Amino acid sequence: MVAEVEAMYAETRSETGLAAMSPAVRAAMGKVERHRLVALEQRGAAYRNHPLPIGNGQTISQPYIVALSTDLLGLTSSSVVLDVGTGSGYQAAVLAEIASRVFSIEIIPSLGEEARKRLEGLGYGNIEVRIGDGYQGWPEKAPFDAIVVTAAAPRVPPALVAQLKPGGRMVIPVGGEGEVQHLTLITKRADGGHDEKRVLPVRFVPLVPGKN
Ligand code: SAH
């Protein structure tokens, strides 16, 4: 699977600016056992470079997108990361292999609780899962060095930009219903503003708007 992901890096090099997986991301992708985070009936397909259903109409992204998003965040071993859309917990696990702490929010209680149990079972003591609306971020744990959103938003959520440290990065699929979504890299500037760069056209499930 890692080799297939590498091949996609090479193919998309001109759009992403990344010729190859960074060593840290490659090690994390090699280490996290995707089959342990997906349902029993999906296990046979866990190492294909494909999205997978995880129940409740949700899907886990293809490994290439997980690797690319993680790479674009430029994590270090001291990074504190917010992960919006826990789903199976796979993206959170990949982040937690590299970063210091991962705070992950899921809006569907059953998915979040299952992921929390699985991640605990795998020994990820540096991941905290909360049930809630990721649109609002996690203000009590902010600011973050990095934020990754794994469901598409029609616009970049202002609360998330506000919770990034200066110099911090966010990767988020942006695009409304019926529009082409773009994986977008946001960089927070020291003056509080931010820069946006469209990286690739993608297809994610939509971020569910919260009730507040
Ligand atoms: N990152 C996940 C896959 C994400 S699929 C993984 O690695 O498996 C998108 C997830 O976002 C779904 O689980 C969905 O329920 C969740 N989601 C959608 N809207 C949300 C919101 N407003 N806040 C938090 N999670 C949300």
Coordinates of all heavy atoms in Angstrom, one line a residue, residues 73-75 79-83 144-148 164-165 168-170:
L73 N 0.7 19.1 6.6 CA 0.7 19.7 7.9 C 2.0 20.0 8.5 O 2.2 20.8 9.4 CB -0.1 18.9 8.9 CG -1.6 18.6 8.6 CD1 -2.2 17.6 9.6 CD2 -2.4 19.9 8.7
G74 N 3.1 19.4 7.9 CA 4.5 19.6 8.4 C 4.6 19.4 9.9 O 5.2 20.2 10.6
L75 N 4.1 18.3 10.4 CA 4.2 18.0 11.8 C 5.6 17.7 12.3 O 6.4 17.2 11.6 CB 3.3 16.7 12.1 CG 1.9 16.8 11.7 CD1 1.2 15.5 12.0 CD2 1.1 17.9 12.4
S79 N 4.2 18.7 17.9 CA 2.9 19.3 17.4 C 1.7 18.8 18.2 O 1.6 17.7 18.6 CB 2.7 18.9 15.9 OG 3.7 19.4 15.1
V80 N 0.8 19.8 18.4 CA -0.5 19.5 19.0 C -1.5 19.7 17.8 O -1.5 20.7 17.2 CB -0.8 20.4 20.1 CG1 -2.2 20.2 20.7 CG2 0.2 20.3 21.2
V81 N -2.3 18.6 17.6 CA -3.1 18.6 16.4 C -4.6 18.4 16.7 O -4.9 17.6 17.6 CB -2.7 17.4 15.5 CG1 -3.4 17.5 14.1 CG2 -1.2 17.4 15.3
L82 N -5.4 19.1 15.9 CA -6.9 18.9 16.0 C -7.3 18.1 14.7 O -6.9 18.5 13.6 CB -7.6 20.2 16.0 CG -9.1 20.2 16.0 CD1 -9.7 19.5 17.3 CD2 -9.7 21.6 15.8
D83 N -8.0 17.0 15.0 CA -8.5 16.2 13.9 C -10.0 16.3 13.9 O -10.7 15.8 14.8 CB -8.0 14.8 14.1 CG -8.6 13.7 13.2 OD1 -8.6 13.9 12.0 OD2 -9.0 12.6 13.8
F144 N -3.8 25.3 18.1 CA -3.2 24.1 17.6 C -2.1 24.4 16.6 O -2.1 25.4 15.9 CB -4.2 23.3 16.9 CG -5.4 22.9 17.8 CD1 -6.6 23.6 17.8 CD2 -5.2 21.8 18.7 CE1 -7.6 23.2 18.6 CE2 -6.3 21.4 19.5 CZ -7.4 22.1 19.5
D145 N -1.1 23.5 16.5 CA 0.0 23.7 15.5 C -0.6 23.3 14.1 O -0.1 23.8 13.1 CB 1.1 22.8 15.8 CG 1.8 23.1 17.1 OD1 2.4 24.2 17.2 OD2 1.6 22.4 18.1
A146 N -1.6 22.4 14.2 CA -2.1 21.9 12.9 C -3.5 21.4 13.1 O -3.9 20.9 14.2 CB -1.2 20.7 12.4
I147 N -4.3 21.5 12.0 CA -5.7 21.0 12.0 C -5.9 20.3 10.7 O -5.6 20.8 9.7 CB -6.7 22.2 12.2 CG1 -6.5 23.0 13.5 CG2 -8.2 21.7 12.1 CD1 -7.4 24.2 13.6
V148 N -6.5 19.1 10.8 CA -6.9 18.4 9.6 C -8.4 18.1 9.7 O -8.9 17.7 10.7 CB -6.1 17.1 9.4 CG1 -6.3 16.1 10.5 CG2 -6.4 16.5 8.1
L164 N -5.9 28.2 15.2 CA -4.5 27.8 14.7 C -3.5 28.8 15.3 O -3.7 30.0 15.4 CB -4.4 28.0 13.2 CG -4.7 26.8 12.2 CD1 -4.5 27.3 10.8 CD2 -3.9 25.6 12.5
K165 N -2.3 28.3 15.7 CA -1.2 29.1 16.1 C -0.7 29.9 14.9 O -0.8 29.4 13.8 CB -0.1 28.3 16.6 CG -0.3 27.7 18.0 CD 1.0 26.9 18.5 CE 0.6 26.1 19.7 NZ 1.7 25.1 20.0
G168 N 0.8 28.1 12.0 CA 0.1 26.8 12.0 C -0.5 26.5 10.6 O -0.8 27.4 9.8
R169 N -0.8 25.2 10.4 CA -1.4 24.8 9.1 C -2.6 24.0 9.3 O -2.7 23.2 10.2 CB -0.4 24.0 8.3 CG 0.9 24.7 8.0 CD 1.7 23.8 7.1 NE 3.1 24.3 7.0 CZ 4.0 23.6 6.3 NH1 3.7 22.5 5.7 NH2 5.2 24.1 6.2
M170 N -3.5 24.2 8.3 CA -4.8 23.4 8.3 C -5.0 22.8 6.9 O -4.7 23.5 5.9 CB -6.0 24.3 8.7 CG -7.3 23.6 8.4 SD -8.7 24.3 9.4 CE -8.8 26.0 8.8

